[in-house]
Amino acid sequence: MPVTIDPRRHDAVLFDLDAVVTGAPVSDSTVALVRQLRDVGVGAAVFSSHRASADVLAAVGLSDLFEVRVDGSTDAAVLAKAAQRVGARPGRCVVIAPAEDAITAARDGGFALVIGLDATGRHADALRGRGADVVVTELSEVVVRTGDQRMSVLPDATSALLDEAEGVQRPAVFFDFDGTLSDIVDDPDAARLTDGAGEALQRLAAHCPVAVLSGRDLAASVSASGCPGSGMRAATASS
């Protein structure tokens, strides 16, 4: 089943060098995927336990494919460094790797999506056991969603609301919880605020009343959203 890189949730993809150079010649799907990422504004970096990833990429004709390369190891610190250099937070990065230690490092590092690459079809269970969200047999199974802007480059909603509220004596802002402040998840009890949402709500609540609406019971709404705080309220609603 294909797995999707979504620019609304993912700012960058970090490739283990061994996921890029899986044979000779290098698969066209590798080059196509990186170019698709570029087209939608999603960054791409390569990391490696080797000391000379630039030489390895040059040997297979991919010198210009990755602007960011980080060598040294495949631990969480190196992955975090690669994310930083490509201008993204781990929580908004995808990691693609065939090695179990790299999968573990990505999971431990809090990366948004961890994709295991199992070219032989014999190690999928092991990769999932180490923390892979999904396992593919080749990079052609990874698709890129198009037509959306990256969430991180959209205008700040808090600033926009405050600009619109100028001259209004007492504005109030209502947010739906599920799918707006949190991702849609299979288990409603597992829903949590997305990164930065709580801080944005608190900043907005300093200027006007803020309410969070949800179909769940009131106690669950308060627990999941962090409301009520100063100027914030949680409420239940039915459709």
Side-chain angles (χ1 to χ4, degrees):
M1 178 182 296
V3 58
T4 301
I5 306 298
D6 189 338
R8 298 172 302 172
R9 295 181 172 86
H10 308 134
D11 292 334
V13 179
L14 311 183
F15 294 81
D16 187 330
L17 180 64
D18 291 333
V20 176
V21 185
T22 56
V26 173
S27 172
D28 290 342
S29 62
T30 303
V31 178
L33 175 58
V34 176
R35 288 177 176 168
Q36 289 172 38
L37 294 172
R38 286 181 180 174
D39 288 344
V40 298
V42 174
V46 66
F47 64 92
S48 173
S49 58
H50 304 289
R51 293 291 179 182
S53 62
D55 294 339
V56 174
L57 291 170
V60 293
L62 298 180
S63 295
D64 62 345
L65 195 60
F66 297 96
E67 295 182 1
V68 174
R69 298 182 296 271
V70 178
D71 297 339
S73 69
T74 53
D75 60 23
V78 166
L79 294 182
K81 181 179 179 181
Q84 181 182 36
R85 287 186 55 189
V86 82
R89 295 183 290 106
R92 292 190 59 83
C93 281
V94 178
V95 173
I96 301 177
E100 293 179 22
D101 57 348
I103 294 294
T104 299
R107 176 56 57 218
D108 291 347
F111 285 80
L113 177 62
V114 182
I115 301 174
L117 179 63
D118 177 21
T120 66
R122 296 194 296 264
H123 306 293
D125 289 342
L127 292 171
R128 291 190 184 95
R130 296 293 287 270
D133 295 300
V134 65
V135 177
V136 299
T137 57
E138 62 175 59
L139 294 183
S140 62
E141 297 174 55
V142 181
V143 299
V144 180
R145 180 184 171 101
T146 60
D148 299 292
Q149 286 184 287
R150 288 186 295 138
M151 193 70 73
S152 58
V153 302
L154 293 175
D156 181 85
T158 303
S159 299
L161 285 169
L162 292 177
D163 290 342
E164 291 293 329
E166 287 187 6
V168 178
Q169 186 173 11
R170 189 64 170 168
V173 183
F174 298 80
F175 292 93
D176 185 20
F177 182 76
D178 297 285
T180 302
L181 297 176
S182 75
D183 290 329
I184 297 293
V185 293
D186 292 334
D187 179 7
D189 292 336
R192 294 293 182 270
L193 290 175
T194 57
D195 291 345
E199 293 81 357
L201 288 173
Q202 292 290 351
R203 291 199 306 272
L204 184 60
H207 298 274
C208 63
V210 173
V212 176
L213 306 178
S214 174
R216 68 188 72 226
D217 65 67
L218 185 60
S221 297
V222 170
S223 175
S225 66
C227 299
S230 176
M232 298 174 63
R233 295 292 183 269
T236 59
S238 59
S239 56

